[in-house]
Amino acid sequence: RSSDLSTAESAEPLDWMLFSSQALWNNTGRSIAFFLRAGQVLRAGRQVTLQTLPGEFQLPVEIEQNAQDIVAEARSLDSIDEIIAPTPVDQSSNVPHVRMFPYSELTYADVTPNAQTDVTFSFRTNRPMFVNTQMYLRLSGFRSDVVDVVLLGPTQFHFQNRMARYHLPENLMELNVTRNLYSNEINTDIVFSRMFLPPAMYANDKSILIWTSDPDAVKQPLQISPELCSTAVCGGEQK
């Protein structure tokens, strides 16, 4: 498909005269072609800045800095003759991979408001949780008798001291990964032992947030959680 171009960032104001105002994207070959206008010559050593317009392209999930598989070449208009052989670019920006949670859910062994019970966090990520990654859950209204919350179940061995650190003033649960956890392959459960539930919560309450230590990580609302309801308070509203 075609894509509009801009030379607004070029050092030479007349660089727009060199290239066609549209480039051609090849989705199969993952390549973009820029076309010199008829009769124009790009002198050796001349630096030109070409930009696609905002919204035209979606970046890959991850690109390492100065990736050697990003190459530039020059060919004849019919692509038969090679003028400049494919050459890795000198410089390219890093695109960090930010881990997200396509699936997330909380369940409780006892759904009585204010009950002290085991809380299970089930989730799937779009990338493995590697060693030295931190996971965070903001559990609004939850309480704990201890700062270091004991983890239950087989996944406990993937976290520091088989515990999670609960920062009570912020209602923030912190998990430090010490063994790679391939939560991108299967739904994964983490069980927090003997947590106190809030007095009331909406079903799928958006105040429960999850995120990771990745740069630019987004705080995502938990997708699924039970309603907590008492005779005095139901659905988060006084009755």
Side-chain angles (χ1 to χ4, degrees), residues 33-199:
F34 309 104
F35 300 95
L36 281 171
R37 295 180 188 269
Q40 295 292 333
V41 176
L42 182 61
R43 301 189 307 270
R46 182 169 179 174
Q47 180 173 317
V48 180
T49 301
L50 299 174
Q51 293 176 296
T52 59
L53 300 186
E56 286 277 4
F57 287 95
Q58 181 177 351
L59 292 175
V61 172
E62 184 177 23
I63 304 176
E64 64 179 8
Q65 187 172 6
N66 303 330
Q68 293 299 292
D69 56 352
I70 301 177
V71 299
E73 64 176 322
R75 305 190 71 87
S76 60
L77 184 60
D78 57 13
S79 291
I80 294 176
D81 298 322
E82 183 182 90
I83 300 170
I84 299 176
T87 306
V89 298
D90 292 330
Q91 186 175 1
S92 62
S93 301
N94 173 54
V95 177
H97 189 138
V98 178
R99 271 161 281 221
M100 305 288 286
F101 294 85
Y103 160 74
S104 58
E105 181 177 3
L106 279 187
T107 54
Y108 318 131
D110 183 347
V111 294
T112 306
N114 295 310
Q116 187 176 34
T117 186
D118 296 340
V119 174
T120 299
F121 172 44
S122 304
F123 65 96
R124 183 187 288 258
T125 55
N126 62 341
R127 188 187 183 201
M129 303 297 289
F130 294 118
V131 170
N132 295 325
T133 301
Q134 287 79 45
M135 299 171 58
Y136 302 101
L137 292 88
R138 193 186 77 177
L139 298 170
S140 298
F142 287 73
R143 295 174 292 114
S144 174
D145 283 335
V146 294
V147 172
D148 292 321
V149 177
V150 174
L151 302 178
L152 305 176
T155 59
Q156 64 179 287
F157 300 101
H158 291 267
F159 298 98
Q160 186 175 4
N161 299 325
R162 291 181 284 173
M163 293 180 180
R165 175 62 58 91
Y166 194 54
H167 304 276
L168 185 57
E170 300 91 353
N171 295 136
L172 183 66
M173 190 74 78
E174 177 183 347
L175 293 137
N176 293 292
V177 179
T178 54
R179 287 174 54 185
N180 292 342
L181 183 63
Y182 294 96
S183 50
N184 59 315
E185 298 178 356
I186 58 171
N187 290 350
T188 303
D189 293 342
I190 299 173
V191 183
F192 306 109
S193 66
R194 299 180 62 77
M195 294 290 295
F196 286 98
L197 301 182

